[in-house]
């Protein structure tokens, strides 16, 4: 904060060119921490300490690389043995609880800074950001509790649907067995009916043949009777 406040006055906001302020900002961060960071970390620091300064990621990357080359040229012996910290190895930003603890410990310093000219705006901004972070944390906890309740309800519903599905599968299996049994029974009944029909047809043919045979005998007997009648009539006339 002590290094950035003069930079805010020295470099007014220019939406078309953030490089002068960004260059001085990166050097101030390096002078305080002794490290280089990735674009995401620098963007978080800009949002916290220099609102309204929103350079693009390529701009941050190019200025960071330029500072890295400058440091390697000016003081190569002072560089760490392992080289600059890579982007993937940058430590994550502290969480909200740690930020609140740091702010609590630093409140006396904030009070002294607030007494100085030009410091009260920055302190008010940081206090406002702290309140926003606390509200966001409370909202996130409430949303997490709501999502946990919805998840529990969905899990219970999934269990119920799984049990219903299992019962449906059992009933479907039983129905399939019943259909298969009925199919076999119908096949047997159909075969029996066909056999019965064939047997009835055979009996009918035999009955027709027997009837024809009996009718032939009757015809012959009637013919014989007629012949006998005729013969008897002839013999009676002769007497």
């Amino acid at each position: 904060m002590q290094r950035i406040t003069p930079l805010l006055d020295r470099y007014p906001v220019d939406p078309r060119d953030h490089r002068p302020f960004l260059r001085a900002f990166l050097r101030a961060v390096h002078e305080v921490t002794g490290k280089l960071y990735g674009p995401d970390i620098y963007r978080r620091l800009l949002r916290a300490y220099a609102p309204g300064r929103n350079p693009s990621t390529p701009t941050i990357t190019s200025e960071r690389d330029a500072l890295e080359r400058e440091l390697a040229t000016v003081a190569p012996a002072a560089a760490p043995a392992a080289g600059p910290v890579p982007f993937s190895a940058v430590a994550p930003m502290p969480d909200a609880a740690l930020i609140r603890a740091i702010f609590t410990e630093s409140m006396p310093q904030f009070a002294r800074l607030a007494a100085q000219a030009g410091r009260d705006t920055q302190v008010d901004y940081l206090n406002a950001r702290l309140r926003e972070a606390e509200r966001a944390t409370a909202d996130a906890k409430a949303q997490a509790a709501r999502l946990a309740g919805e998840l529990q309800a969905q899990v219970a519903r999934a269990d119920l649907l799984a049990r219903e599905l299992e019962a449906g599968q059992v009933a479907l299996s039983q129905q399939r067995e019943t259909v298969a049994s009925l199919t076999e029974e119908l096949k047997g009944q159909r075969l029996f009916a066909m056999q019965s029909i064939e047997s009835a047809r055979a009996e009918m043919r035999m009955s027709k043949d027997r009837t024809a045979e009996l009718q032939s005998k009757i015809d012959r007997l009637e013919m014989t009777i007629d012949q006998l009648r005729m013969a008897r009539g002839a013999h009676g006339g002769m007497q």
Side-chain angles (χ1 to χ4, degrees):
M1 290 177 56
Q2 293 176 356
R3 291 178 179 270
I4 292 174
T5 300
L7 298 181
L8 297 174
D9 298 333
R10 187 183 310 165
Y11 300 99
V13 177
D14 185 357
R16 296 174 298 179
D17 187 9
H18 294 284
R19 288 183 179 275
F21 172 80
L22 179 62
R23 190 174 299 115
F25 177 81
L26 296 184
R27 282 169 172 74
V29 173
H30 181 267
E31 291 174 359
V32 173
T33 64
K35 296 180 181 179
L36 296 176
Y37 299 96
D40 292 340
I41 301 300
Y42 287 126
R43 192 174 298 282
R44 294 180 185 179
L45 294 173
L46 286 169
R47 285 198 299 267
Y49 295 101
R53 311 298 178 118
N54 188 27
S56 63
T57 299
T59 301
I60 296 175
T61 302
S62 63
E63 290 297 328
R64 189 261 187 200
D65 293 342
L67 177 59
E68 181 179 1
R69 291 192 298 269
E70 178 181 345
L71 294 173
T73 303
V74 174
V85 178
F87 291 173
S88 60
V90 175
M93 293 293 290
D95 57 11
L98 181 57
I99 292 176
R100 285 197 296 271
I102 294 174
F103 281 168
T104 301
E105 294 177 357
S106 303
M107 280 303 173
Q109 299 179 9
F110 289 164
R112 290 194 300 270
L113 291 175
Q116 301 177 13
R119 303 292 186 173
D120 53 349
T121 302
Q122 189 70 13
V123 173
D124 291 341
Y125 170 76
L126 292 176
N127 288 330
R129 289 298 303 272
L130 177 59
R131 290 192 293 271
E132 292 177 0
E134 291 177 344
R135 286 195 297 268
T137 301
D139 294 341
K141 289 181 179 179
Q143 185 177 7
R146 179 179 60 81
L147 293 177
E150 293 179 357
L151 176 61
Q152 185 176 2
Q154 292 297 331
V155 169
R157 179 174 176 79
D159 292 339
L160 177 61
L161 292 177
R163 290 194 296 269
E164 292 179 354
L165 177 60
E166 183 178 0
Q169 290 177 344
V170 172
L172 179 60
S173 177
Q174 294 175 351
Q175 291 178 358
R176 286 177 177 175
E177 293 178 357
T178 302
V179 170
S181 177
L182 291 175
T183 302
E184 293 297 328
E185 184 177 353
L186 289 175
K187 286 182 180 179
Q189 292 179 358
R190 183 173 179 274
L191 180 60
F192 177 77
M194 292 180 64
Q195 291 176 351
S196 299
I197 292 172
E198 291 297 329
S199 178
R201 288 177 178 175
E203 291 179 358
M204 186 177 293
R205 286 194 297 270
M206 292 177 62
S207 297
K208 287 181 179 179
D209 294 341
R210 182 63 176 168
T211 301
E213 182 180 355
L214 291 175
Q215 186 64 41
S216 178
K217 287 182 178 181
I218 292 172
D219 293 341
R220 288 196 301 269
L221 288 175
E222 290 179 351
M223 186 180 296
T224 302
I225 291 172
D226 290 339
Q227 291 176 356
L228 290 174
R229 287 176 179 173
M230 293 176 62
R232 179 179 177 182
H235 290 301
M238 291 176 63
Q239 293 177 354

